[in-house]
Amino acid sequence: MSTFTLAEVREQTYKPRDSWWTVWLVDPLASRLVTVTANRTSITPNQLTFAALSLGLLAAVCFFLGDWYWLVTGALLFHLSFVLDCMDGKIARLKGNGSVFGSWLDYVFDRIRVLICAMALMGGQFLQTENPVFLWFLLAIVFTDMFRYLNSPQMAKVRSAMRRHIAQAIREVEETSEGDTSGVRRAAGSFGRDDSGAEHLGDDDASVSIGGSERVNAPAADTHYAEPGQVDRPTAASKAKAIQSTALQKGFDRRFPWYRHMRDTLRANRIRPHLFSGIEYQMGVFIVAPLVGVLSPTGMLVTIAASAVFMFAFELLIIYKLWLSTREFSRVTRDINTALAALERRQQEQQGAEIS
C-alpha cells in the first residue's frame, strides 16, 4: 500500500481554487483524515459518499428533534458530513480510483441530503413553534438550492460552447493561412449567432486584430508538442480558454476595475471570487442557522434569509458577467467575420498574382 505524506495529499488533492468555507474550515481537517484513510485503510470514494449521506441523515434526525442540544449536534454532524463529502473526491484524485458513477452518486446524494435536512430542520421548528412561516421557509430553501444547481451546469455549458466556437474560429484562421479556405465562410456565418469571442488571430507574417485585446498567434499546427529544442506551441483549445478569460471579460472589467485586484488576492489564497456559492449557502442554512436557532428561532430564519440573499446576489453577479460577455461577443464576432474574409481575400489575391 502506498504511503502518502500530508504535503503530498495537499499537493495532489487541493483544488487550485475553492470556496472559502472549504479552504478555511474543511481542508485542514479533511487533508489529515485523507492521509490516515489513504495510508491505513482500503476505503473507497463511494464508501465515503455513502458515509457522508449517513451522517447527513443523522443530522436530519437531530434537526427534526428540534431542542437546542439537538440543533447543535445536527449542525456538527452536517459539517462532518460535508468533510466526508470532500474526502471522497480527494481520495479519488489521490489514488486514481474515482469513477463516472461515483461522480453521479456524489451529486445525487448531496441533493438528497439537502432536501431531507431542509424538511427535518423546518419541520422540527414548525412542530416546536406551530408557526407556519417555517413551512414557507422550507419551500424557499428547496427552491434556492434547486435554482443554484440548475443554473450552475447551464452556465458551464454556455462557457464550454464559447470555448469550442472560439477554438473553431482559430482553426479556421490557421487553415486559411495555410491555403485551405474551405469552411471559412461557413464558420464566419455561424459565429454571428454564438456567444463567444477572440482577440488577435493571424499567421506568421501578418496578424489580424480580433477584439482588440491581447495577442494570440495562430501557429501552423494545432499541437501540444514541439520538436526537440523548440518551444511548445499552444493549441487552439488552450488559446480559446485564454481568450475567454480576457477578451470576453473586458466589459465587466471596465465597469468594475477593482474586481481583478480582489480576484487575484483571493486566488493567491486559493479562494475563488464567487464568495457565496451553493456551499456557503448550505453551511449557512444547516450549520450557522441551527446554531443561531439555539438562541432564537427568529434568528434562525433571519440567517437562512440572509444566506439566500447573499447567494442570489452572487448568482445575479455571475449572470450579469455572462450577459456582458455575450455583448462583447457580438462585437468580437464582427471582427472575426472581417478577419476571416480578409484572410481569404488576401489568399485569393496571392493566388491571382501567382497565376498572372
Side-chain angles (χ1 to χ4, degrees):
M1 183 179 295
S2 301
T3 300
F4 302 98
T5 65
L6 180 59
E8 289 173 336
V9 169
R10 288 170 175 167
E11 180 182 356
Q12 297 181 40
T13 67
Y14 278 13
K15 296 178 182 178
R17 290 182 297 277
D18 215 330
S19 70
W20 60 265
W21 186 282
T22 301
V23 171
W24 290 341
L25 301 176
V26 175
D27 275 348
L29 174 60
S31 59
R32 287 166 172 80
L33 293 177
V34 165
T35 303
V36 175
T37 302
N39 290 332
R40 301 184 181 179
T41 74
S42 57
I43 294 175
T44 66
N46 285 353
Q47 289 172 338
L48 287 171
T49 302
F50 275 98
L53 177 63
S54 299
L55 281 183
L57 296 180
L58 288 176
V61 172
C62 295
F63 289 150
F64 186 74
L65 294 176
D67 293 322
W68 70 267
Y69 42 87
W70 288 120
L71 291 177
V72 173
T73 304
L76 177 61
L77 287 174
F78 191 91
H79 181 70
L80 292 177
S81 172
F82 185 70
V83 171
L84 291 182
D85 193 36
C86 291
M87 285 177 60
D88 61 7
K90 294 183 186 299
I91 290 290
R93 289 190 291 274
L94 191 65
K95 291 189 172 183
N97 58 352
S99 65
V100 175
F101 178 75
S103 178
W104 173 85
L105 198 70
D106 184 59
Y107 180 85
V108 172
F109 278 12
D110 192 34
R111 305 277 58 76
I112 292 174
R113 179 179 56 185
V114 169
L115 177 61
I116 293 179
C117 283
M119 295 172 60
L121 180 61
M122 295 295 96
Q125 291 303 300
F126 171 71
L127 294 177
Q128 291 275 333
T129 64
E130 297 185 353
N131 188 343
V133 71
F134 286 99
L135 300 182
W136 289 107
F137 264 72
L138 168 60
L139 296 177
I141 291 171
V142 173
F143 171 80
T144 304
D145 183 75
M146 178 191 68
F147 173 81
R148 163 63 184 164
Y149 283 91
L150 287 177
N151 184 48
S152 179
Q154 290 303 313
M155 295 189 72
K157 286 172 61 177
V158 171
R159 294 191 184 99
S160 178
M162 286 180 176
R163 285 193 296 272
R164 289 197 303 270
H165 292 315
I166 296 170
Q168 180 61 32
I170 294 173
R171 295 188 188 99
E172 294 290 350
V173 172
E174 291 171 351
E175 292 174 1
T176 303
S177 63
E178 291 175 357
D180 180 6
T181 61
S182 63
V184 172
R185 290 295 187 188
R186 182 183 68 253
S190 65
F191 260 76
R193 298 186 300 272
D194 290 328
D195 300 337
S196 181
E199 297 167 296
H200 290 291
L201 308 177
D203 54 19
D204 290 336
D205 48 11
S207 65
V208 183
S209 178
I210 304 292
S213 186
E214 299 177 7
R215 185 179 180 82
V216 177
N217 292 320
D222 189 18
T223 177
H224 281 288
Y225 307 101
E227 295 296 328
Q230 295 181 349
V231 178
D232 289 354
R233 293 182 175 182
T235 65
S238 65
K239 286 183 288 187
K241 185 176 181 179
I243 288 167
Q244 189 177 30
S245 65
T246 53
L248 296 189
Q249 304 302 319
K250 287 171 59 179
F252 186 83
D253 290 340
R254 282 195 301 266
R255 289 167 174 80
F256 305 98
W258 51 266
Y259 172 80
R260 189 171 290 272
H261 175 72
M262 183 197 76
R263 182 202 63 186
D264 293 341
T265 300
L266 291 172
R267 285 182 173 180
N269 293 281
R270 213 166 56 83
I271 298 173
R272 63 190 181 196
H274 190 182
L275 292 177
F276 216 94
S277 64
I279 291 175
E280 288 80 11
Y281 173 70
Q282 287 184 29
M283 303 307 117
V285 172
F286 300 116
I287 297 178
V288 179
L291 295 178
V292 173
V294 170
L295 303 176
S296 168
T298 301
M300 176 189 292
L301 296 179
V302 171
T303 302
I304 293 173
S307 298
V309 168
F310 279 119
M311 199 202 77
F312 273 118
F314 275 90
E315 289 298 305
L316 290 175
L317 178 63
I318 293 176
I319 294 171
Y320 178 61
K321 284 185 65 179
L322 182 64
W323 176 69
L324 289 178
S325 71
T326 60
R327 293 186 63 187
E328 287 295 316
F329 174 76
S330 297
R331 178 182 60 82
V332 166
T333 48
R334 290 194 296 269
D335 292 340
I336 292 177
N337 293 337
T338 302
L340 291 172
L343 287 172
E344 184 184 24
R345 185 167 57 252
R346 183 178 61 185
Q347 198 162 64
Q348 289 174 345
E349 291 172 354
Q350 290 174 348
Q351 293 173 351
E354 292 175 357
I355 294 175
S356 62

